[in-house]
Amino acid sequence: MSHATAVQDRPTPPTGPAPRSGLSSRSLPRLAPVGFAVVSVALAISISLAAGWHSKVQWGMIAALLFLAISYVATTVVENKRQAKDRLATSIVWVCFLIAIVPLASLLWTTVSRGAERLDGYFLTHSMAGVLGSEASGGVYHALIGTLEQVGIATVISAPLGLLTAVYLVEYGKGSLAKAVTFFVDVMTGIPSIVAGLFILSIMLIFEIQPSGLMGALALTILMVPVVVRSTEEMLKLVPNELREASLALGIPKWRTILKVVLPTAIGGITTGVMLAIARIAGETAPIILLVFGSQLINANPFEGAQSSLPFYIYEQYKIGEAASYDRAWAAALVLIAFVMILNLVARGIARWKAPKTGR
């Protein structure tokens, strides 16, 4: 066959535009979502003002819908439908995240702006002894002491109890007893705080026990134990079984393996769980109202006499209904948020410090 004939037999390439494949080489810029968001907000404000809508919630909802529509259409035109569906799913995730974060940011901003006006050194170092509700003086010192003591007692009781329960469930628990313990832990996790307070109150009435910080701490313990058990149990399950087997293969007893191998490996996660449980009970109000009764005076003895706490102090000041009491309530709320935030930061720091070191 001659060379000319071979050339004639070759198929002629198409002269029109090449069809777009599923993996298109064209793509939107990395900052395209930011541009879509800016355009969506501008269009939402324009449409709302033209329609006479002045609610910022309406503006946000219209902007979210426009953002999803613009992202999908632009990605379909520039790239392809497969990438458009992927970007639409990503955009929905971002929109849901922003919808969830807006109330939290608004709450934090309101608390900081309202509480910072009254929060100072005097507020943190003085109590409400002899201060009327309408007066601008007074502080949160007595409530801060009560919270620290009540939460501290609850932690001392519940942390070892929860840790030992979790160790039993993970390392030893088998049969009906382990199932029963797991069931009751799950039930206790969903118990309302008022139920825990009523349980301790019934014991107080039976044995004629007077209100004190200890009674409030016992109710907080009931709420804290299941959280510690559940978080510690999950951390212990993450410890590789190879570590246990290697220790047991060397002839080390199981109890010593748990003490020297399993717990040190999971100590970071366990500490984080305990700190989060403390943050969970620090804001409980109902058990404190029932069992501690509150006090305007400084009571550093949690085993005798009425005591106050930060949640009870906030409730008490809000109930007074005066402008000065509202300011004190916002300042106490800011102190409580700072207390919980510090606990979370400490938990994250300990978790990172105690995390197992990985080699190269």
Side-chain angles (χ1 to χ4, degrees):
M1 183 180 295
S2 64
H3 177 71
T5 305
V7 172
Q8 293 176 358
D9 293 339
R10 292 179 181 176
T12 303
T15 57
R20 295 176 60 186
S21 61
L23 298 176
S24 175
S25 59
R26 294 189 299 172
S27 61
L28 290 170
R30 180 176 298 180
L31 296 179
V34 179
F36 297 156
V38 173
V39 173
S40 302
V41 172
L43 289 176
I45 294 176
S46 302
I47 294 173
S48 300
L49 293 178
W53 299 335
H54 300 286
S55 174
K56 295 182 180 179
V57 176
Q58 292 176 333
W59 296 5
M61 297 302 296
I62 296 174
L65 295 176
L66 289 174
F67 175 74
L68 296 177
I70 294 173
S71 299
Y72 182 79
V73 173
T75 308
T76 302
V77 173
V78 176
E79 299 180 4
N80 51 56
K81 288 187 177 181
R82 185 179 63 85
Q83 295 292 341
K85 293 179 181 179
D86 178 77
R87 189 177 293 275
L88 177 62
T90 305
S91 300
I92 292 175
V93 171
W94 275 104
V95 169
C96 293
F97 168 75
L98 292 177
I99 292 175
I101 205 68
V102 164
L104 178 61
S106 176
L107 174 63
L108 184 61
W109 172 256
T110 303
T111 306
V112 172
S113 60
R114 295 288 299 272
E117 299 177 358
R118 185 67 180 80
L119 183 61
D120 52 20
Y122 175 86
F123 183 75
L124 295 175
T125 55
H126 287 75
S127 67
M128 292 295 295
V131 179
L132 298 178
S134 58
E135 296 180 2
S137 57
V140 76
Y141 180 70
H142 62 299
L144 186 59
I145 289 180
T147 294
L148 292 175
E149 291 182 348
Q150 294 159 23
V151 172
I153 294 174
T155 304
V156 170
I157 298 174
S158 59
L161 185 60
L163 176 61
L164 294 176
T165 303
V167 169
Y168 167 76
L169 292 175
V170 175
E171 303 295 337
Y172 297 98
K174 293 181 181 179
S176 58
L177 180 59
K179 293 180 180 179
V181 173
T182 302
F183 172 76
F184 283 111
V185 168
D186 293 337
V187 172
M188 290 177 63
T189 304
I191 288 179
S193 59
I194 188 66
V195 175
L198 289 174
F199 174 73
I200 300 298
L201 180 62
S202 63
I203 296 177
M204 293 173 58
L205 295 176
I206 292 173
F207 295 99
E208 298 182 356
I209 302 175
Q210 296 300 318
S212 65
L214 177 62
M215 298 296 104
L218 293 179
L220 297 180
T221 300
I222 297 176
L223 301 174
M224 185 176 176
V225 165
V227 179
V228 176
V229 172
R230 192 51 75 213
S231 60
T232 304
E233 184 180 1
E234 296 301 324
M235 290 300 105
L236 294 178
K237 288 179 180 178
L238 294 178
V239 177
N241 286 327
E242 289 78 4
L243 297 178
R244 298 179 176 88
E245 294 171 356
S247 178
L248 296 174
L250 295 175
I252 300 177
K254 188 171 184 177
W255 68 269
R256 194 171 182 85
T257 299
I258 297 172
L259 189 63
K260 297 294 185 180
V261 176
V262 177
L263 292 180
T265 304
I267 189 63
I270 294 173
T271 305
T272 302
V274 172
M275 290 293 182
L276 293 178
I278 294 174
R280 183 249 188 272
I281 67 171
E284 293 294 342
T285 309
I288 306 302
I289 295 176
L290 289 175
L291 307 173
V292 181
F293 276 21
S295 175
Q296 305 293 330
L297 306 176
I298 299 174
N299 181 13
N301 184 8
F303 303 101
E304 183 179 359
Q307 221 179 20
S308 186
S309 69
L310 287 174
F312 183 85
Y313 181 87
I314 297 170
Y315 164 77
E316 184 181 42
Q317 295 301 315
Y318 180 80
K319 188 175 64 174
I320 293 175
E322 298 289 342
S325 65
Y326 287 153
D327 294 337
R328 287 191 292 266
W330 281 110
L334 182 57
V335 172
L336 182 59
I337 290 177
F339 176 72
V340 175
M341 186 176 297
I342 290 173
L343 288 179
N344 281 275
L345 293 177
V346 170
R348 290 181 179 272
I350 294 176
R352 180 172 297 182
W353 173 43
K354 291 295 185 178
K357 303 299 186 295
T358 57
R360 294 186 178 181

